[in-house]
Amino acid sequence: MLPAELQRVDRSQLRAAVGDTTFQRGAQYARQGAVAEMSWRPAKNALYGTVAGSHGERYVTTVYFTGLGAAEPWWFDDAQCTCPVGADCKHAVALVLAAATRAAGDGPARRSAVAPKGWTSSLSALLGDQSVEDEPRSATPLAIELTLSAEISAGRSKRGPGGPSLSVRARLVKPGKTTWVNALSWSKLSSPYGHYQRDDYLATHVQILREMYAVYLSGQEDTAYGAYSHGDDKYLDLGAFASPRLWPLLDEAAAAGVRLVHGRKRLGDIERYGSAELCLDVTRHETSTALNVSPMLRMADPNEAVAPFAFIGDHGVVGIDRAEIQATDRHEDWHIRLARLSAPAPPELIQMAVANKSLRIPAAERPRFVSEFYPGLRRVARIVSSDESFEPPVIEPPTLV
């Protein structure tokens, strides 16, 4: 049984807590009778309920209140929900308003008020399309802007003294009149105090980007109590994504309409990531018979010549077309290329690639290189010879005797 005090819930405070857009959508859900069940737990001042989503889903919602007294209005304190938003959502608003109506004696909320869906709505739900009700027209889409930086961005990533000096910074932006403008910070995606800003953006975009930020935090060393003292994460170091979960999340983001864009709008969107392999290229020295051993990034398309600018963990790379590098040394004029590595790359090989470093094997030491080092190196990375001056020896497999 619901307490009578619920009818005096401060609706203006509830609207301020969840945001005007969420409140209006929740009020519409309550009027449609989307709240199927509700119960009260007096020990926790908690209201439990089941609320129907726009496509027939059932979400379990819990709302906590602060009761100031029998004669005072109750205040909305916090809400949790099994929907994608997760907290302070439209389902929580619908549950509060429906409970207030029932506590006032106006009768139970009716689920039958929901109009039956036509064939177009059913097929749209089957295709995964978002309904107009789920995504209001006033909601703003989000995009991820990537910019090249010659310095490590001020993130949580920990690199050794010999680590790369180049990085790629990612921030959340929204469309402006002539360019991309700053949107909410990454840390506001999950902050309990960030719902005022989150309500302005598409919920599907916020959901995917929130998961992407969680993957980023999972690879950091100070994600426990130390993370709270770090402040807002306006920029993320793309190279600090230690988990390869980044790539399927980029796929989900693209499918949901989250664009990946350059810092300069005239450069357009960043192409969808491809695949690449970090190899060791063994070539002949220009003036002698010595050998040069250097890292080489091989794209899936053999006609593409891409130089690695920075690496994403050990599973990805940010590259720049070599023709653009030769045309200009202005980082902001380069088009960014993303590629997922076909195999994890060792840190030492990554450092060589970013530093554009090569090793010279004297001609007299070539037999030793072939016999002692080549067998182990081929397990580290694929050995190729772009000038065909080095033919890898045939290593016979072990024979059972």
Side-chain angles (χ1 to χ4, degrees):
M1 184 175 180
L2 302 179
E5 288 82 0
L6 276 177
Q7 62 183 297
R8 293 192 294 273
V9 169
D10 192 322
R11 287 169 170 77
S12 61
Q13 183 267 338
L14 173 62
R15 180 190 293 265
V18 302
D20 188 65
T21 301
T22 300
F23 183 87
Q24 293 179 3
R25 293 162 67 186
Q28 182 179 4
Y29 267 41
R31 289 191 297 268
Q32 292 177 339
V35 180
E37 301 172 356
M38 63 182 75
S39 61
W40 177 255
R41 302 283 179 86
K44 297 182 178 181
N45 271 9
L47 177 66
Y48 294 81
T50 303
V51 185
S54 57
H55 299 316
E57 311 92 333
R58 290 292 186 97
Y59 299 119
V60 178
T61 309
T62 306
V63 180
Y64 300 93
F65 298 90
T66 299
L68 302 179
E72 299 290 340
W74 282 28
W75 281 44
F76 169 85
D77 188 19
D78 189 18
Q80 299 174 357
C81 187
T82 58
C83 73
V85 176
D88 301 347
C89 58
K90 61 185 177 183
H91 308 104
V93 174
L95 178 60
V96 173
L97 297 181
T101 300
R102 179 178 295 186
D106 291 342
R110 296 185 303 274
R111 244 273 329 41
S112 59
V114 180
K117 294 183 176 63
W119 67 270
T120 56
S121 299
S122 299
L123 290 182
S124 296
L126 184 63
L127 293 173
D129 296 336
Q130 294 294 324
S131 66
V132 176
E133 181 181 336
D134 278 350
E135 300 290 5
R137 295 180 180 179
S138 59
T140 303
L142 286 166
I144 304 174
E145 177 194 81
L146 300 184
T147 54
L148 305 176
S149 174
E151 298 179 358
I152 294 296
S153 57
R156 293 189 177 89
S157 59
K158 305 293 185 182
R159 298 184 188 271
S165 60
L166 304 174
S167 66
V168 180
R169 302 194 303 172
R171 72 164 178 161
L172 299 178
V173 294
K174 60 184 178 182
K177 290 184 178 180
T178 59
T179 185
W180 298 104
V181 296
N182 187 55
L184 76 171
S185 63
W186 288 93
S187 47
K188 287 293 193 299
L189 293 171
S190 301
S191 170
Y193 306 104
H195 50 73
Y196 300 102
Q197 299 181 31
R198 292 196 297 266
D199 283 343
D200 297 333
Y201 302 99
L202 293 176
T204 52
H205 291 191
V206 172
Q207 174 192 352
I208 294 173
L209 294 172
R210 176 187 290 180
E211 185 176 353
M212 189 176 296
Y213 182 56
V215 170
Y216 168 82
L217 290 178
S218 68
Q220 311 309 306
E221 297 178 3
D222 53 351
T223 55
Y225 298 103
Y228 293 100
S229 62
H230 185 269
D232 272 358
D233 275 332
K234 183 178 178 180
Y235 291 95
L236 299 185
D237 180 2
L238 192 66
F241 276 87
S243 170
R245 267 289 298 160
L246 170 66
W247 305 104
L249 283 174
L250 286 177
D251 292 336
E252 293 180 29
V258 179
R259 296 168 64 182
L260 201 61
V261 300
H262 289 90
R264 291 196 170 186
K265 200 168 186 177
R266 63 178 177 79
L267 295 179
D269 289 11
I270 296 173
E271 293 183 12
R272 188 181 184 277
Y273 70 88
S275 60
E277 183 179 18
L278 190 59
C279 307
L280 279 173
D281 188 20
V282 183
T283 58
R284 183 174 179 176
H285 194 269
E286 296 178 354
T287 59
S288 67
T289 57
L291 295 178
N292 281 337
V293 180
S294 57
M296 183 179 69
L297 186 66
R298 297 183 67 178
M299 304 296 291
D301 185 351
N303 296 322
E304 294 180 327
V306 176
F309 179 88
F311 282 81
I312 307 172
D314 64 353
H315 52 82
V317 63
V318 179
I320 307 296
D321 192 282
R322 293 187 182 275
E324 284 193 328
I325 296 177
Q326 294 175 357
T328 177
D329 58 357
R330 291 170 56 88
H331 294 176
E332 58 270 21
D333 291 334
W334 293 345
H335 287 82
I336 295 175
R337 302 285 302 275
L338 299 181
R340 184 175 186 176
L341 294 178
S342 56
E348 295 79 7
L349 186 56
I350 289 176
Q351 293 176 17
M352 287 182 62
V354 172
N356 197 23
K357 183 180 179 182
S358 63
L359 300 176
R360 183 172 180 270
I361 310 298
E365 298 292 331
R366 181 168 180 166
R368 185 184 177 192
F369 166 75
V370 172
S371 62
E372 294 185 20
F373 291 92
Y374 172 78
L377 286 176
R378 70 190 185 100
R379 296 187 180 92
V380 173
R382 182 192 296 270
I383 307 295
V384 298
S385 182
S386 58
D387 64 354
E388 300 181 352
S389 62
F390 176 76
E391 185 168 344
V394 177
I395 299 179
E396 297 293 340
T399 303
L400 181 64
V401 296

